[in-house]
Amino acid sequence: MEKIVDRFLRYVAFDTTSNPDSQSQPSTNKQFALLDQLRKELEAMGLEKVELDKYGYLMASIPSNIEEDVPAIGFISHVDTSPDAPGSGIKPRIIENYDGKSITLNEAKGMVLDPEEFPELKDYVGQTLITTDGNTLLGADDKAGVAEIMAAAEYIMEHPEFKHGPIKIGFTPDEEIGRGVDHFDVARFGAKYAYTMDGGAIGELEYENFNAAAAKLHIQGRNIHPGYAKDKMLNAILIASELNDMLPVWQRPEYTEGYDGFIHITKFTGVVEEADIQYIIRDHDFELFERKKKMIRECADFINCKYGGNIVTVDIKDQYYNMKKEVEPHYHIIEKAVEAMKAAGIKPNIRPIRGGTDGARLSFMGLPCPNIFAGGLNFHGKYEYLPVQSMEKASEVILNIIRNFTVK
């Protein structure tokens, strides 16, 4: 079998950054390059029904080799990387036998992975780490998951003595911009249950996630020559700042954890004449989620009342919902994942996702789909890193889950 680290390094060489401003599916055509590479590899392994469609969904099947009637189990990862950091020209660094000390990523930029700032590093002393060079993200989110699924598929195809039911594999585009399953055909995929390999640190198992929405606010000001602006000018920059200051500081992401929700300003552009603000709204509790959306609308109403007219317009769109209510009725799929981790010598860490996955939306589309660790840390930025042993263990967990579904 090919080493899993070699697979990962091959996959991160592909620039697959998604683009939230694009209206196409996938949002960037370059995602097809990696998807086509994966298609060729799956076909070479001998998988069946290997299909890459026009929307960037790659699906493949491994037929059952047992007589028992067991459900088809799917494993899914996304190929795109976040637009929050550069995703081209990735130059991974391999740190063998990590000694627990600071790792200089980029001396010229003063970028250091310091255990004082990133205490999780201490958990990986003695292991092999893959880091960035401080200029790009690494792409472990979610190419680690892709490599783990591909390695498991290769093992199954090369070991016919490994007994299993029907297995479905899926790779998706555009997860990072919330459009990963917009055109995903659950019926064509053919799984009864699935797992996304898209979590963080080793041991993570998640079946609760945020309810999520995106808010866009436009502030229409009035630009008057500053020498004659008294009682006439409406400075959109200042009005936008005033509105933002009305939102509670303690509901910003830097002050939240666990089950806390937040309202996060992600973009602010403007001149005196007009300004735009973008937020993401998150909460595990649906009632609190609705309150946060209402709060933004009420702030806009106050500004409109204060300044008169329709100064602020608000557009809020829901993105995904908490999968808990769709997964809990099938809790045995969580139990099988717990057993699979324990069999691999891993302590399961069941926790809520402070984010979302393709699995959240798939669960509401009729495919219960909790999330399992892929192994990486510090996703979406230049401090991202990946312990190789975590990636190896994730692939082992996939095999253990498949094995567990053959046992009644």
Side-chain angles (χ1 to χ4, degrees), residues 107-153:
E107 188 172 0
K109 295 182 178 180
M111 297 183 64
V112 178
L113 265 176
D114 188 342
E116 292 296 318
E117 296 179 342
F118 305 102
E120 299 85 2
L121 280 164
K122 292 289 188 180
D123 296 334
Y124 304 103
V125 172
Q127 298 190 26
T128 298
L129 305 183
I130 306 177
T131 74
T132 77
D133 67 350
N135 289 307
T136 67
L137 49 62
L138 179 61
D141 181 14
D142 189 26
K143 290 169 185 172
V146 173
E148 291 152 8
I149 293 172
M150 293 293 285

Side-chain angles (χ1 to χ4, degrees), residues 261-274:
F262 57 76
I263 300 173
H264 176 40
I265 184 169
T266 59
K267 191 173 184 180
F268 187 124
T269 59
V271 292
V272 173
E273 184 71 23
E274 57 185 344

Side-chain angles (χ1 to χ4, degrees), residues 111-362:
M111 297 183 64
V112 178
L113 265 176
D114 188 342
E116 292 296 318
E117 296 179 342
F118 305 102
E120 299 85 2
L121 280 164
K122 292 289 188 180
D123 296 334
Y124 304 103
V125 172
Q127 298 190 26
T128 298
L129 305 183
I130 306 177
T131 74
T132 77
D133 67 350
N135 289 307
T136 67
L137 49 62
L138 179 61
D141 181 14
D142 189 26
K143 290 169 185 172
V146 173
E148 291 152 8
I149 293 172
M150 293 293 285
E154 182 185 35
Y155 179 89
I156 293 167
M157 299 306 293
E158 291 189 356
H159 293 79
E161 72 280 5
F162 180 85
K163 300 303 179 184
H164 59 83
I167 302 165
K168 306 295 180 177
I169 290 172
F171 298 120
T172 66
D174 290 344
E175 189 271 353
E176 295 292 3
I177 57 173
R179 307 207 301 255
V181 294
D182 280 2
H183 299 281
F184 192 95
D185 189 333
V186 171
R188 182 164 71 89
F189 187 54
K192 185 172 183 179
Y193 309 109
Y195 299 86
T196 48
M197 303 300 297
D198 193 19
I202 188 169
E204 285 186 7
L205 173 56
E206 301 150 329
Y207 68 96
E208 299 179 70
N209 62 280
F210 281 138
N211 296 291
K216 294 182 178 180
L217 282 68
H218 180 75
I219 296 88
Q220 184 60 56
R222 186 188 303 138
N223 193 6
I224 304 294
H225 187 291
Y228 305 93
K230 185 173 178 8
D231 299 327
K232 298 177 182 177
M233 177 184 287
L234 292 175
N235 191 323
I237 300 171
L238 296 177
I239 295 173
S241 298
E242 179 181 355
L243 189 153
N244 184 67
D245 287 343
M246 293 170 63
L247 298 171
V249 171
W250 62 90
Q251 290 194 29
R252 295 175 183 172
E254 57 265 40
Y255 301 112
T256 64
E257 62 182 353
Y259 282 94
D260 298 335
F262 57 76
I263 300 173
H264 176 40
I265 184 169
T266 59
K267 191 173 184 180
F268 187 124
T269 59
V271 292
V272 173
E273 184 71 23
E274 57 185 344
D276 292 280
I277 317 176
Q278 294 183 19
Y279 295 95
I280 59 172
I281 305 161
R282 303 289 188 264
D283 209 295
H284 289 91
D285 183 283
F286 190 77
E287 182 179 343
L288 296 178
F289 173 62
E290 291 295 312
R291 285 186 198 173
K292 286 176 170 60
K293 292 190 290 183
K294 183 180 179 183
M295 184 188 305
I296 289 179
R297 292 191 178 99
E298 288 175 342
C299 290
D301 290 343
F302 175 84
I303 293 293
N304 285 333
C305 183
K306 178 178 179 179
Y307 292 99
N310 198 28
I311 301 297
V312 183
T313 55
V314 180
D315 180 24
I316 299 179
K317 292 182 178 178
D318 289 355
Q319 296 171 306
Y320 52 83
Y321 302 105
N322 190 343
M323 73 171 102
K324 180 180 179 180
K325 79 169 192 171
E326 300 297 324
V327 174
E328 269 195 331
H330 311 277
Y331 197 77
H332 68 286
I333 66 178
I334 303 298
E335 294 173 331
K336 290 188 184 299
V338 167
E339 294 166 4
M341 289 189 190
K342 290 180 177 178
I346 300 167
K347 182 180 179 180
N349 179 16
I350 300 178
R351 53 183 291 180
I353 309 170
R354 290 187 56 79
T357 69
D358 280 342
R361 291 182 61 196
L362 288 171

Side-chain angles (χ1 to χ4, degrees), residues 16-29:
T16 56
T17 309
S18 48
N19 178 8
D21 296 323
S22 168
Q23 299 304 310
S24 65
Q25 171 86 25
S27 63
T28 53
N29 198 54

